[in-house]
Each structure stands twice: as structure tokens, then as C-alpha cells.
Amino acid sequence: MSSSDEPYRFWWRSHDGEEARTAGWHAIGEAGFREREERITGHQYLDAAAPDWADDLLRLARAAFLADKLASRDKVFDRWTRRISLSLPVRDPLRWTGTAAGLASALLQMLTGDHWDIRPRALRAASSQPPIPLGDDWRATEVALFSGGLDSLSWAAQRAGSAAGLLLLVTFAEPQLESLQRGVLRTVEQRARDSGRVVKHANLRQVPGGRDGRSVESSSRSRGLLYSATAVRAAAASGIPTVHVPENGQLALNPPLTASRSSALSTRSVHPWTLHLLNRLIRSIAGAEGAVTVTNPLARLTKGEVCEAAGLSPAELEATLSCGAPPRRRQNRPYDNCGVCYPCLVRRSGLLHANGADATDYEASPTSPRLPRKRTRDWQALRRWLDAPYGALDLIADQPLPPGTEAAPWLNVIDRGRTELRALVRAM
């Protein structure tokens, strides 16, 4: 489908029977996912129809995610940077011409490290599902992503215990980790019952597969856009102006521990520049219909401060998922967190800071003499990074901050986070 000097070309179908009308393009569509479209578009939990621009944004996110999984990085010259052209059907191509298409390409390049060419065309068949009226008592007043991790638990628990109205939590299920996600959700639901608030949960799957080809690429840097776009669509349908994507400031910035981890080699789904591009894209395509802003409510907090703000017991915090490559997902092991990847190390430091100890049952310790050398790379890189100075130039060397953003508050977060991580190194 592609060689080192040719782009991958994907044509997202307007409807299931449509095929690419241009030679050399690979047709993909809803059949590339294992879950039915009506489950993903979420009409079950919407009380009104989503606006066209929100449907288009979700279609972009789904198409880009599937293209991302079908385009192998191993076949390009540096085994990472691909060129991907995507023909996207939208309700109003004029909205997507020029600025919007450029913003979509820039956003995807920020997320995946690839060169994207987004080509909008007219949608030839309606694909949205009508909403099922659920009554005013059901209409959401707040929307947030909920992964089952420490950050999303902390934010959801705070909102469930302190505000009125219906809180809609959008989760993307990990097939081997659903029991953990359900357990974390129960903690939020209990907090809501105690305060009298209503919590609804949209549990969706976005697993590639089916007629349009199975996944060939292990990386999935575009996944964050897929999650955010789904939540944005739900918010737009309910007239909610904000979607919360909770992520501590340390991992939102996610400064590369080594030069080799720069750009998209480190996840950038909630980086402030990513959210800036996403919000500009939404405003560009929404026009006067009422845009939705995606925001990170925990951006100025370290992992330890997020744990403290949750107001939960150590056991409730420890029952969460933070791992970048959960052992249970990889090898069907009886562990949820590996304990040695960078997200797990940040988790360890946060729980140590908030509780003075961390009783999480990790698969391994980064200081174990039995651990293979390749699994201690994050630990060794972290220690070297903590020994080196970190300043304003380091903050923007990898990715820029949005225009008008002051660097000092972000440097403060990194500095406090480094203090927590140094405490972890001393403790271990």
C-alpha cells in the first residue's frame, strides 16, 4: 500500500457501500471497527442531535485513528515518520476548506509525528443516528473523559461530590481492564450518591479490525483525539460549552527524558499546544453554531497534588490504572501497572507524596536486580534527567506553548514534579 517514498492514501467511506473513486486510495470506514457505529456515535446518551460540525470532527478522529493503525511505520525510511493522505467526507466542505483542513493536519502531525494531508469532500449519505429523547432530568450539564486512571478519578470524584446536575463520564474500555475501570467508576458513583449528584457513564470501545483490515501498527498516538472528539460531540449535543480532559501538568507537558524521545515519541494528547490546535479547529468548523472548548482542569497540578485534591483513601487511589503498557493487556498477567514505565514512576512519586507510601501491587520494581536492562531504561533516563537543569528553553524546545501563555506557571509544575520524583529516587 505504501513504500518509503510514497504516502499512504486512505478514503473514508461516506456509507458502507462506497469505494474509493481514485486509483491508489485504500477505502476504509465504519467496518474497520469492531463495534457498531451507533454505539460509537453515542445517540444512546444524547438528548438532542449533535450539530453537523461535531459529527464531522468525530468522523475525522475515527478516520485518522484507523489510518494511523493501518499505516505501518516500519515501511518508512526512519521507521517512524509517515506521509498520510486522508479523503474525508464532511457535511459542509466549505467549512473545511483552507484553514480548517490545515489545522486538522497540524493537529494530527502534533499528535503522531507524521505529515498529514486532509482532503475534505461532500458527504454522500447521512450517517448520524437520531437521538433518543431521555427527558430534561437526563440532560448532561458537564462532560469529562474518564479512563480509570488517577487523574480522571480525582477530577470525577471532586465534581461528583461538589456540584449539581448530571455528570457524563466518557470512557473507552480496555478489553482486559474493564473490571478495573468499573471498580474505579464505583468510587465516583459512591461519591455522587453521598452528595445527591447524578452520574451517567458512556462506556465505548474503539478497537480496529473487521472488513477494512486489521491493525498493523502498534503505536496509536492519534487515540487522544478520538477520545476528545467523542466527548466534544456529546457536549455539543447538550449545549455544554466545555469538555474536561483531566491530566496532571507533568504528563500533560510530558517533557522528553532524553533527546531521542522528543516530538511524538512522547505522548502529546493533552499538551497545551495540542489543546490549542484542537480548540482552534473546533472554532473554525463550528462557526456561529456554538463551539465547545476542550480544557485540562488539572494542568497546573503535579501528580502528588492531584492525589491530594481527590479527597479519597489511599486504597481507592491505588486501585487505578496509570501504566503506559499494562501487563494484563500485554501478557494476561494479574497486574494492572507494570511499575517501571515513566507513567508508573510518576504515579509512584505522586502516591508517595500524597500518602507517604504506595501499596499498589506492581509487576516489578525499577531497582530490582532481576529486571532486564531494557526495562530499567525509563528509571535510568529519569535519574539522569533529574540531575540536569531544566529551564524555559527546555520547556519550549520540544513543542511550543499557545500564544500569550506564560512559561513560569508551567515551569513551576515541572519543578514541583521533579521534587516529587527526587523523593521517589531517594525512597527507592
Side-chain angles (χ1 to χ4, degrees), residues 67 121 165 175 209 213 244 301 351:
R121 69 179 198 274
H244 299 294
L301 299 180
L351 289 171

Side-chain angles (χ1 to χ4, degrees), residues 63 73 110 184 285 410:
R73 295 188 187 273
M110 169 71 178
V184 177
I285 60 177
W410 290 106

Side-chain angles (χ1 to χ4, degrees), residues 93-148:
L94 289 178
R95 291 194 183 195
W96 285 85
T97 302
T99 300
L103 286 169
S105 298
L107 173 59
L108 288 167
Q109 181 172 351
M110 169 71 178
L111 288 169
T112 71
D114 304 301
H115 301 293
W116 290 80
D117 175 23
I118 306 301
R119 304 185 184 186
R121 69 179 198 274
L123 182 68
R124 297 176 63 85
S127 60
S128 61
Q129 298 291 325
I132 300 175
L134 300 172
D136 291 339
D137 291 341
W138 201 96
R139 184 183 291 272
T141 57
E142 195 168 2
V143 177
L145 290 185
F146 183 78
S147 66

